[in-house]
Amino acid sequence: MTMTPFDDAAVKIAEYLLQIKAVKLQPDQPFTWASGLKSPIYCDNRKTLSYPQIRTFIRQQFVNVINHHFAKPDVIAGVATGGIAQGALVAQDLGLPFVYVRSEAKKHGMTNMVEGEVEKGQNVVVIEDLISTAGSSMKAIEALRDRGCNVKGMLAIFTYGFEEAAINLKNANCTTYTLCDYDTLIEVALKQNYITENDLESLKQWKVDPFSWNK
């Protein structure tokens, strides 16, 4: 289950993402994802790292959520690649060790999937940049648990809010919080005239059934 804990912050982050074009909304000229899925939205949260004010705000919100919901974990883990820099910033702020989780184990050397020092029994909070189906998140959570870690939960900047992701994370028994979500983003986009009312309806339909949308 994904929850957006602070509504005011979610609106602010939506404004930032639209402002720097980290999120683009094009219902009339959809993007094609690597999976082949047609999408009216493209999200690249790595852009936020280029803007000190925005990356600081995001880091502060991550820290606020951790302090409110997870107390102080032993380790922060970033999910490659988008969660690495964000996770390192959070770990630095909290004065905690940092590790990151590869998308797959290395093919050579120590064949690690988790890079960095983590010990069995340690409490870990995972940092992602984006949740779509939660596939990469699930692999990271499993890799950390295989190392004997207690994954207390996961945080992400943004989620599309797909039911598949919610089911996957529920099955993984992983409490997840996102700083912003799709519903908040498109409402902010409408208020700021990034999109029209007709666009809004199309964007809502995509979230309900992305595989049949635009066919």
Side-chain angles (χ1 to χ4, degrees):
M1 181 179 182
T2 59
M3 296 165 277
T4 307
F6 305 121
D7 290 342
D8 290 346
V11 169
K12 190 66 177 175
I13 289 173
E15 291 172 350
Y16 279 145
L17 295 178
L18 290 164
Q19 174 189 322
I20 65 173
K21 296 182 172 59
V23 166
K24 295 181 181 179
L25 296 168
Q26 296 180 186
D28 294 331
Q29 295 178 295
F31 303 94
T32 303
W33 288 358
S35 63
L37 183 72
K38 294 291 184 182
S39 169
I41 181 172
Y42 180 78
C43 183
D44 182 5
N45 291 324
R46 287 167 293 196
K47 276 194 170 187
T48 62
L49 295 167
S50 298
Y51 298 84
Q53 178 185 357
I54 296 173
R55 73 168 184 248
T56 296
F57 185 79
I58 288 171
R59 186 201 76 225
Q60 290 170 337
Q61 297 312 308
F62 274 141
V63 169
N64 287 344
V65 176
I66 291 170
N67 287 335
H68 274 79
H69 297 284
F70 299 117
K72 191 168 185 178
D74 301 308
V75 179
I76 300 295
V79 180
T81 58
I84 293 177
Q86 302 290 354
L89 290 169
V90 171
Q92 179 68 20
D93 191 299
L94 291 169
L96 293 174
F98 174 74
V99 301
Y100 72 88
V101 187
R102 294 175 172 272
S103 57
E104 60 181 26
K106 286 172 65 176
K107 305 296 186 187
H108 58 279
M110 299 296 290
T111 66
N112 292 333
M113 188 159 175
V114 179
E115 296 287 4
E117 295 293 332
V118 66
E119 298 176 9
K120 184 176 181 180
Q122 285 189 310
N123 293 320
V124 180
V125 169
V126 178
I127 303 292
E128 266 276 28
D129 69 325
L130 172 69
I131 297 175
S132 53
T133 63
S136 62
S137 307
M138 297 285 290
K139 289 169 69 174
I141 292 164
E142 183 179 352
L144 289 162
R145 287 175 174 166
D146 286 346
R147 291 282 293 268
C149 298
N150 172 30
V151 178
K152 297 189 71 176
M154 183 173 70
L155 281 64
I157 298 173
F158 186 79
T159 179
Y160 294 117
F162 291 150
E163 184 179 2
E164 181 181 354
I167 292 170
N168 284 338
L169 292 166
K170 182 178 180 181
N171 289 340
N173 193 28
C174 183
T175 301
T176 303
Y177 294 94
T178 60
L179 302 184
C180 187
D181 58 30
Y182 183 77
D183 292 341
T184 300
L185 181 92
I186 60 176
E187 290 294 341
V188 169
L190 179 66
K191 288 179 182 177
Q192 297 198 348
N193 297 316
Y194 283 90
I195 58 173
T196 66
E197 288 281 358
N198 287 338
D199 291 334
L200 182 67
E201 186 58 36
S202 179
L203 289 162
K204 287 180 176 180
Q205 291 173 359
W206 175 77
K207 180 187 169 185
V208 172
D209 190 358
F211 296 99
S212 298
W213 181 82
N214 199 39
K215 288 186 178 178

